[in-house]
Amino acid sequence: MAPAFVIHGDSARASGRFASVYSEVQSSRIDHALPLPSVLKNPFKIVDGTRSSAAGNPDEIAKLFPKLFGQPSAKLVPNDVDTLNSDQKLKIGVVLSGGQAPGGHNVISGIFDYLQDRAKGSILYGFKGGPAGIMKCKYVELNADYIYPYRNQGGFDMICSGRDKIETPEQFKQAEETAKKLDLDGLLVIGGDDSNTNACLLAEDFWVKGLKTRVMGCPKTIDGDLKSKEVPTSFGFDTACKIYSEMIGNVMIDARSTGKYYHFVRLMGRAASHITLECALQTHPNITIIGEEVAAKQLTLKNVTDYIVDIICKRSDLGYNYGVILVPEGLIDFIPEVQYLIAELNEILAHDVVDEDGLWKKKLTNQSLQLFEFLPPAIQEQLMLERDPHGNVQVAKIETEKMLIQMVETELEKRKQIGQYNCIFKGQSHFFGYEGRCGLPTNFDATYCYALGYGAGALLHSGKTGLISSVGNLGAPVAEWTVGGTALTSLMDVERRHGKFKPVIKKAMVELEGGPFKKFESLKNEWAINNRYISPGPIQFTGPGSDAISHTLRLELGAHA
Amino acid sequence: MAPAFVIHGDSARASGRFASVYSEVQSSRIDHALPLPSVLKNPFKIVDGTRSSAAGNPDEIAKLFPKLFGQPSAKLVPNDVDTLNSDQKLKIGVVLSGGQAPGGHNVISGIFDYLQDRAKGSILYGFKGGPAGIMKCKYVELNADYIYPYRNQGGFDMICSGRDKIETPEQFKQAEETAKKLDLDGLLVIGGDDSNTNACLLAEDFWVKGLKTRVMGCPKTIDGDLKSKEVPTSFGFDTACKIYSEMIGNVMIDARSTGKYYHFVRLMGRAASHITLECALQTHPNITIIGEEVAAKQLTLKNVTDYIVDIICKRSDLGYNYGVILVPEGLIDFIPEVQYLIAELNEILAHDVVDEDGLWKKKLTNQSLQLFEFLPPAIQEQLMLERDPHGNVQVAKIETEKMLIQMVETELEKRKQIGQYNCIFKGQSHFFGYEGRCGLPTNFDATYCYALGYGAGALLHSGKTGLISSVGNLGAPVAEWTVGGTALTSLMDVERRHGKFKPVIKKAMVELEGGPFKKFESLKNEWAINNRYISPGPIQFTGPGSDAISHTLRLELGAHA
């Protein structure tokens, strides 16, 4: 029963994970065989769909992407013979952009194996540290030994990532120079909405400038907000949600066993509440706040507090003085009144003296003043003191779960005084964020990413550019998954910034009419009052549950149960 | 690939987990077959060892436990025939006491199955909500259907737990009445050091009063500080440490991938630092603070801060601007100067007015004033404001990891000004506590607990009292594990409280000369500077790594690797 470690000698050393030791589970995952969709295992041809448009303002998108706009989707379909020249030796670059998401290493393994299998003699470059690596031409040549120890492993540490963007004309020029210097046939950008927008701009730029370098994107983000009809999910969402749900499930059993705590769990996801919704569907908490619902119903912070307090009181009548509450990281960004208050504070703090006696507060509008006074002192202080380099209030630093605990506590005290509550409320706060970004990818993320990378290889090989790798039919067995690419321009809309139209891939928010939210809505009252906790347990790589897909994906694919 | 749920109808309904749904992994665990040590699968007899003494002050312990003191250990050994009367119908009570620990349900399954197998027709009562259930005679009769859905499940929610103690003569009387009313032959107390002390007092009391009720203890605590030569580990420690280590491993890969954060992770364990040490051995963090080392070396908070800052500076010279630091929850309790400061503050706050100008600070000794001024303002404030009902400063509420981040930040700022550091330090704080107390028990904890419960059944059946269930030889295959009981009095020492001797089971602290700490000490400089991170990944129930025992246990059993 002694734990054993495997030291990956030469290959690990060559790759930077030198002399690193792996846990038994990490080791066992390295050689985990990944199934490929059938279409990738046999001869295929690439078939174009119909002309595409844009997610919004197609005329503006057409102007911004004269070469790319309107491109059809591409799909790999079985064929008697292979249509791509396997003697072609390609030079391809790959880059990881933005925050970590489990599975990134498998996208790289996927495109690497594609080149080995179908374009032997090709070269794969890994740009180091994100888009900065492209601009500075910092790269490493990826070979089998280098990649081996990262197969099915979490993290982005094979080549690391970064948050830089290629934006200015000088930066585009640097990227062009790198593409020319390395004689790149293709570039795969693995990233979220911003990074894929950037990939599309690069694809257009290279085409306009007459470079041969094709550019493709790959949908990455644990937040789950980069998706469309043809891109059913972003990778990493599955693993991150399962890690968070393991923790939530454990906390639930603890809450029920102890019977005296309300656990407030803040979950990553600043823009959209997909993670919170998925974790709710996996674990059945008593209360779940979904940012998009708060925004749609124009709820105030007081409304949200009252909603929580009402349920706590009802539960206390039933003899339950405990519970679990999920809150998305970005909650307060969804509350209009908070946005107004912050804007006013930014204005006041920039121009006025904040006096101790609080005379400055007179400059707040009535609504904002009321909200400010409603906030717990610690949060008031945080709003006044924490600033970003531009002097703005840092909403991101507010620990929403702690703020809610304090507001709920205050409100329950009032209810106690009018005889509507007579328990002792004890809140415990949790934030699950970094713990989920670099976990070992689930079987789903491992397989999905491998197909995304392998498919991207095929499309770059075929000369496609400006597409995002898309693998579909994910509810079916892997063999039946579809593989192709979707025009990045078809996901785009424009935003007006500084008087100019900027292309953006619109974040996919939680749809209040969509399957996952509808399911949640139909059950939330039941979960609130009764205890329907589910503890998903730790992610398993073999045996029961090891191949499950996320509830969000399943429900979006049309399942009703 | 759709997730499936199993609804445990009748049996789950009968048990209070009614209409509850289980995740696939939870379901799969229910029917997981548990191996028993060979000695429990075949006929056995019970053999006594030599007369025992006490952990300290044997004369006082002898006075406090006239009946029990000196009892030998008992050991189950194979025999041609069974020596216990299988026709005897026993009435046994079981109680869960104190904080949750993974495996408690399996102790109950174990004793239940013993009675089914070897004393058919016996009755098992579960006292509800901890020792209060004994005093108030609140119980449930446990049958196969009731127990079934809790097999191999985390939490204590089968009968719940509580922190009450049976202390006053009235309370002992209540316990006696319950024992008589239910005609109890035996009582199994599953708990930590305090609860097992209480179990011993009950055993003595029942014996003195001429009750037939035998009492046994069972070693439970995730903190790992209830152990001795014959009780190699407390249950729950294995699972909790593996859950925390999964999270730490994920954060490590994130740190390495991102390259810009120092993650400060506070881990449960107020009294002893076993959890922190075990997690360090599992994951190889850059810095680990062990409370017992801090106490032994009489380190100050400034020493600890400097130790961390020195390593951060060294790492920055090597190009590493990231890292992971583990801190035990109870760190500041180990620092003598902090204890002095708190004592002085309690005194001042009880008797003096705290003036805004800070004149009150003159009442602090020089050393305490220096420490107070060294603390970050937020911590100063917390010390002044947060009080328990007796008006004492609440050390437990201090978020040690955040305090350290602030102190490290301040110190690094100083180093920057003298040119010894020129990076940007960003700290991220984490606290892993409740997440680990109710996880699904690992294979080790599931099997170990089952044997503890099964063995306790045999010893109660044989008429033993005042023993703690002990299962040994844990480094060998389960078949070879030894089963027996150790005299609770042999674990005891006395403490003087309010002028009287009180018996206490001494907490087992991290031994600075023990195998686990020695191993850590031999590697910590290597881990500090180089990056030797290991990511254990999620607990697996089948396949590689699923049967590993903790490093602490392995090293204490004499392994050197």
Side-chain angles (χ1 to χ4, degrees):
Chain A
M1 286 184 109
F5 299 115
V6 177
I7 299 184
H8 286 277
D10 288 343
S11 56
R13 203 160 303 143
S15 72
R17 282 202 179 188
F18 65 99
S20 170
V21 280
Y22 280 66
S23 69
E24 260 189 286
V25 178
Q26 281 180 300
S27 298
S28 75
R29 292 300 287 167
I30 290 182
D31 294 316
H32 167 71
L34 294 168
L36 268 181
S38 313
V39 70
L40 291 174
K41 295 205 287 191
N42 299 301
F44 59 80
K45 62 178 177 184
I46 292 169
V47 175
D48 283 344
T50 54
R51 188 178 161 80
S52 69
S53 181
N57 294 297
D59 295 347
E60 297 301 329
I61 297 296
K63 273 186 240 162
L64 289 161
F65 297 96
K67 297 282 186 199
L68 291 172
F69 181 76
Q71 277 204 112
S73 297
K75 197 175 166 181
L76 275 62
V77 295
N79 202 37
D80 291 343
V81 291
D82 264 320
T83 51
L84 300 175
N85 176 8
S86 65
D87 290 335
Q88 205 182 341
K89 289 180 183 33
L90 299 166
K91 288 180 185 142
I92 306 281
V94 62
V95 68
L96 293 163
S97 183
Q100 279 67 247
H105 289 148
N106 276 27
V107 177
I108 300 177
S109 315
I111 193 166
F112 179 79
D113 288 356
Y114 174 83
L115 296 174
Q116 292 285 305
D117 294 348
R118 308 248 183 175
K120 195 99 196 151
S122 293
I123 295 175
L124 184 64
Y125 297 108
F127 289 105
K128 296 187 104 172
I134 300 175
M135 296 187 275
K136 297 180 193 157
C137 201
K138 270 188 69 181
Y139 64 91
V140 60
E141 192 180 322
L142 299 170
N143 57 33
D145 275 356
Y146 198 104
I147 287 177
Y148 177 73
Y150 296 97
R151 289 186 182 260
N152 301 306
Q153 304 296 309
F156 275 6
D157 46 333
M158 187 203 290
I159 51 175
C160 291
S161 179
R163 295 192 179 273
D164 304 272
K165 279 187 207 167
I166 298 168
E167 283 181 312
T168 65
E170 294 71 40
Q171 290 171 326
F172 276 98
K173 194 142 182 58
Q174 290 174 327
E176 291 156 20
E177 275 160 20
T178 295
K180 283 185 210 157
K181 185 176 164 199
L182 296 181
D183 191 31
L184 288 186
D185 297 291
L187 173 67
L188 177 61
V189 178
I190 304 167
D193 49 345
D194 271 356
S195 309
N196 275 286
T197 303
N198 215 206
C200 195
L201 288 165
L202 266 186
E204 182 76 18
D205 178 79
F206 287 171
W207 192 342
V208 168
K209 300 280 167 66
L211 269 68
K212 66 168 180 177
T213 316
R214 281 35 178 167
V215 185
M216 278 198 59
C218 183
K220 172 234 69 172
T221 165
I222 64 161
D223 292 352
D225 56 7
L226 171 55
K227 59 183 170 188
S228 71
K229 208 173 152 58
E230 292 184 3
V231 181
T233 188
S234 57
F235 76 78
F237 176 73
D238 189 75
T239 306
C241 288
K242 284 174 183 161
I243 292 173
Y244 300 145
S245 294
E246 176 196 356
M247 295 299 119
I248 295 165
N250 288 355
V251 164
M252 282 172 162
I253 307 287
D254 201 282
R256 178 160 62 191
S257 297
T258 317
K260 61 179 180 187
Y261 293 117
Y262 271 94
H263 294 269
F264 286 64
V265 180
R266 174 168 49 118
L267 293 163
M268 248 189 192
R270 182 148 296 282
S273 298
H274 296 291
I275 289 178
T276 302
L277 181 57
E278 172 65 23
C279 291
L281 291 166
Q282 284 193 30
T283 63
H284 305 184
N286 302 108
I287 300 172
T288 306
I289 310 294
I290 299 297
E292 287 84 344
E293 187 185 13
V294 169
K297 295 185 175 166
Q298 300 214 294
L299 300 183
T300 63
L301 215 42
K302 176 87 170 73
N303 295 148
V304 173
T305 308
D306 283 343
Y307 173 68
I308 296 173
V309 167
D310 288 347
I311 292 176
I312 291 175
C313 289
K314 239 182 256 171
R315 288 179 61 80
S316 115
D317 291 343
L318 295 167
Y320 303 132
N321 189 28
Y322 64 89
V324 175
I325 298 168
L326 305 190
V327 185
E329 191 184 17
L331 174 62
I332 48 182
D333 293 333
F334 284 101
I335 301 180
E337 57 165 2
V338 177
Q339 295 313 311
Y340 299 139
L341 170 63
I342 306 259
E344 289 175 34
L345 283 178
N346 282 339
E347 197 61 28
I348 292 171
L349 294 167
H351 302 296
D352 296 292
V353 177
V354 174
D355 55 305
E356 292 251 331
D357 298 332
L359 291 173
W360 64 271
K361 289 185 198 164
K362 292 198 175 156
K363 290 181 185 116
L364 290 171
T365 60
N366 237 336
Q367 179 195 274
S368 289
L369 180 60
Q370 267 178 31
L371 173 60
F372 189 81
E373 300 288 1
F374 177 65
L375 293 173
I379 303 294
Q380 290 179 351
E381 207 163 302
Q382 214 170 357
L383 285 177
M384 305 302 292
L385 294 178
E386 301 261 8
R387 296 301 155 68
D388 71 9
H390 309 288
N392 291 324
V393 166
Q394 285 201 279
V395 192
K397 286 232 171 161
I398 294 177
E399 296 173 304
T400 321
E401 75 287 13
K402 291 194 178 164
M403 180 181 81
L404 281 177
I405 288 176
Q406 290 181 43
M407 293 191 307
V408 162
E409 209 162 40
T410 308
E411 183 59 29
L412 281 171
E413 209 41 62
K414 286 185 200 156
R415 304 262 179 125
K416 203 175 249 180
Q417 278 160 22
I418 54 172
Q420 290 177 356
Y421 177 74
N422 64 352
C423 271
I424 295 162
F425 168 81
K426 285 187 191 166
Q428 290 284 354
S429 65
H430 306 261
F431 172 48
F432 299 141
Y434 295 94
E435 295 80 1
R437 307 197 315 175
C438 284
L440 280 163
T442 55
N443 284 341
F444 172 77
D445 269 330
T447 307
Y448 179 55
C449 287
Y450 191 66
L452 284 170
Y454 205 97
L459 291 164
L460 286 172
H461 191 181
S462 78
K464 295 285 181 194
T465 191
L467 304 182
I468 184 168
S469 184
S470 48
V471 171
N473 200 26
L474 299 175
V478 178
E480 297 164 34
W481 286 3
T482 60
V483 179
T486 299
L488 279 163
T489 47
S490 76
L491 307 178
M492 289 203 184
D493 196 347
V494 286
E495 265 182 18
R496 225 189 153 85
R497 286 187 204 161
H498 308 296
K500 265 187 166 172
F501 282 121
K502 284 252 179 193
V504 287
I505 294 181
K506 288 198 83 165
K507 279 189 197 294
M509 308 300 282
V510 169
E511 297 282 351
L512 302 188
E513 294 303 318
F517 185 81
K518 282 283 178 200
K519 176 87 181 169
F520 159 73
E521 206 178 27
S522 73
L523 292 167
K524 69 177 187 180
N525 293 333
E526 165 74 4
W527 297 346
I529 297 306
N530 300 304
N531 301 310
R532 298 286 183 258
Y533 301 154
I534 291 188
S535 179
I539 289 169
Q540 297 298 294
F541 296 115
T542 57
S546 58
D547 285 331
I549 62 172
S550 74
H551 292 247
T552 301
L553 182 54
R554 200 166 48 83
L555 293 162
E556 284 180 346
L557 289 173
H560 298 288
Chain B
M1 287 185 108
F5 299 116
V6 177
I7 299 185
H8 286 276
D10 290 342
S11 55
R13 202 162 305 141
S15 73
R17 281 201 180 188
F18 65 100
S20 172
V21 280
Y22 281 64
S23 69
E24 260 190 284
V25 178
Q26 281 180 301
S27 299
S28 75
R29 291 301 286 166
I30 290 182
D31 294 317
H32 167 71
L34 295 168
L36 268 181
S38 312
V39 70
L40 292 174
K41 295 205 287 190
N42 299 300
F44 59 79
K45 63 179 177 185
I46 292 169
V47 175
D48 284 343
T50 54
R51 188 177 162 79
S52 69
S53 181
N57 293 296
D59 296 346
E60 296 302 328
I61 296 297
K63 275 185 235 161
L64 289 161
F65 298 96
K67 296 283 186 198
L68 291 173
F69 181 76
Q71 277 205 112
S73 297
K75 196 174 167 182
L76 275 62
V77 296
N79 202 35
D80 291 343
V81 290
D82 263 321
T83 51
L84 301 174
N85 176 7
S86 66
D87 290 335
Q88 205 182 340
K89 289 180 182 32
L90 299 166
K91 288 178 185 143
I92 306 282
V94 63
V95 67
L96 293 162
S97 184
Q100 280 65 247
H105 289 148
N106 276 28
V107 178
I108 301 178
S109 315
I111 192 166
F112 179 79
D113 288 356
Y114 175 84
L115 296 174
Q116 291 284 304
D117 293 347
R118 308 253 184 169
K120 194 101 198 147
S122 293
I123 294 175
L124 184 64
Y125 297 108
F127 288 105
K128 296 187 103 172
I134 300 176
M135 296 188 273
K136 297 179 192 159
C137 200
K138 271 188 67 180
Y139 64 91
V140 59
E141 193 180 321
L142 298 171
N143 57 35
D145 274 356
Y146 198 104
I147 286 176
Y148 177 70
Y150 296 97
R151 287 183 185 264
N152 301 307
Q153 304 296 309
F156 274 7
D157 46 332
M158 187 203 290
I159 50 174
C160 291
S161 179
R163 295 194 179 272
D164 304 273
K165 278 187 208 168
I166 300 169
E167 284 181 312
T168 65
E170 295 71 39
Q171 290 171 326
F172 275 98
K173 195 143 182 56
Q174 290 174 328
E176 291 156 19
E177 275 159 19
T178 294
K180 283 185 207 155
K181 185 176 162 198
L182 296 180
D183 191 31
L184 288 186
D185 297 292
L187 173 65
L188 177 61
V189 178
I190 303 167
D193 50 346
D194 271 357
S195 309
N196 275 287
T197 302
N198 216 205
C200 195
L201 288 165
L202 265 185
E204 181 77 18
D205 178 79
F206 288 171
W207 191 343
V208 168
K209 300 279 168 65
L211 269 68
K212 67 168 178 175
T213 315
R214 277 42 175 163
V215 186
M216 276 198 61
C218 183
K220 172 233 70 171
T221 167
I222 64 163
D223 292 350
D225 55 8
L226 172 55
K227 60 183 170 188
S228 70
K229 206 171 154 59
E230 291 184 2
V231 180
T233 186
S234 57
F235 76 78
F237 176 72
D238 189 75
T239 307
C241 289
K242 284 174 183 161
I243 291 173
Y244 300 145
S245 295
E246 176 197 355
M247 296 300 119
I248 295 164
N250 288 355
V251 164
M252 281 172 164
I253 307 288
D254 202 282
R256 178 162 59 193
S257 297
T258 316
K260 62 180 179 186
Y261 293 118
Y262 271 93
H263 294 270
F264 286 65
V265 181
R266 174 169 49 121
L267 293 162
M268 247 189 193
R270 182 149 296 285
S273 298
H274 296 290
I275 290 178
T276 302
L277 180 56
E278 172 65 22
C279 291
L281 291 167
Q282 285 192 31
T283 63
H284 305 184
N286 302 108
I287 300 172
T288 305
I289 310 294
I290 299 297
E292 288 84 343
E293 186 185 13
V294 169
K297 295 185 174 166
Q298 301 215 293
L299 300 183
T300 63
L301 216 41
K302 176 86 170 70
N303 294 149
V304 174
T305 308
D306 284 343
Y307 173 67
I308 296 172
V309 167
D310 287 347
I311 291 175
I312 291 176
C313 289
K314 239 182 256 172
R315 287 179 62 78
S316 114
D317 291 342
L318 295 168
Y320 303 132
N321 190 27
Y322 63 89
V324 175
I325 298 169
L326 306 189
V327 186
E329 190 183 17
L331 174 62
I332 50 180
D333 294 333
F334 284 101
I335 301 180
E337 59 165 1
V338 176
Q339 295 312 311
Y340 299 140
L341 170 63
I342 306 258
E344 289 176 36
L345 283 177
N346 283 339
E347 196 63 25
I348 292 171
L349 294 167
H351 303 294
D352 296 293
V353 177
V354 173
D355 56 305
E356 292 251 332
D357 298 332
L359 291 174
W360 65 271
K361 289 186 199 165
K362 292 198 175 157
K363 291 180 185 114
L364 290 171
T365 59
N366 238 336
Q367 178 194 273
S368 290
L369 179 60
Q370 266 179 31
L371 172 59
F372 189 80
E373 300 289 2
F374 177 64
L375 293 172
I379 302 294
Q380 290 179 351
E381 207 164 302
Q382 214 172 355
L383 285 178
M384 306 301 292
L385 295 178
E386 302 261 7
R387 297 298 156 71
D388 70 10
H390 309 288
N392 290 325
V393 167
Q394 286 201 279
V395 192
K397 286 230 170 161
I398 294 176
E399 296 173 303
T400 322
E401 75 288 13
K402 291 194 179 166
M403 180 182 81
L404 281 178
I405 288 176
Q406 291 179 42
M407 293 191 308
V408 163
E409 210 162 39
T410 308
E411 183 60 29
L412 281 171
E413 208 41 62
K414 286 186 202 159
R415 304 262 179 125
K416 203 175 249 179
Q417 278 160 21
I418 53 171
Q420 290 178 354
Y421 178 73
N422 63 353
C423 271
I424 296 162
F425 168 80
K426 285 187 191 167
Q428 291 285 354
S429 66
H430 306 260
F431 172 48
F432 300 142
Y434 295 94
E435 295 79 3
R437 307 195 317 173
C438 284
L440 280 164
T442 55
N443 284 341
F444 172 78
D445 269 330
T447 307
Y448 178 55
C449 286
Y450 191 66
L452 284 171
Y454 205 97
L459 291 165
L460 286 171
H461 191 181
S462 78
K464 294 286 179 193
T465 191
L467 304 182
I468 184 167
S469 185
S470 49
V471 171
N473 199 26
L474 299 175
V478 178
E480 297 164 34
W481 286 3
T482 59
V483 179
T486 299
L488 280 162
T489 47
S490 76
L491 307 177
M492 291 201 183
D493 197 345
V494 286
E495 264 182 16
R496 225 188 154 87
R497 287 186 203 161
H498 308 295
K500 264 185 165 176
F501 283 121
K502 285 251 181 193
V504 288
I505 293 180
K506 289 198 84 165
K507 278 190 198 295
M509 308 301 282
V510 169
E511 297 282 352
L512 302 188
E513 295 302 319
F517 185 81
K518 282 282 178 200
K519 175 87 180 166
F520 158 73
E521 207 178 27
S522 74
L523 291 167
K524 67 177 188 180
N525 293 332
E526 165 75 3
W527 297 347
I529 297 308
N530 300 304
N531 301 310
R532 297 287 183 257
Y533 301 153
I534 290 188
S535 179
I539 289 168
Q540 297 297 295
F541 296 116
T542 56
S546 57
D547 285 331
I549 62 172
S550 73
H551 291 246
T552 301
L553 182 53
R554 199 167 48 84
L555 292 163
E556 285 181 344
L557 289 173
H560 298 290

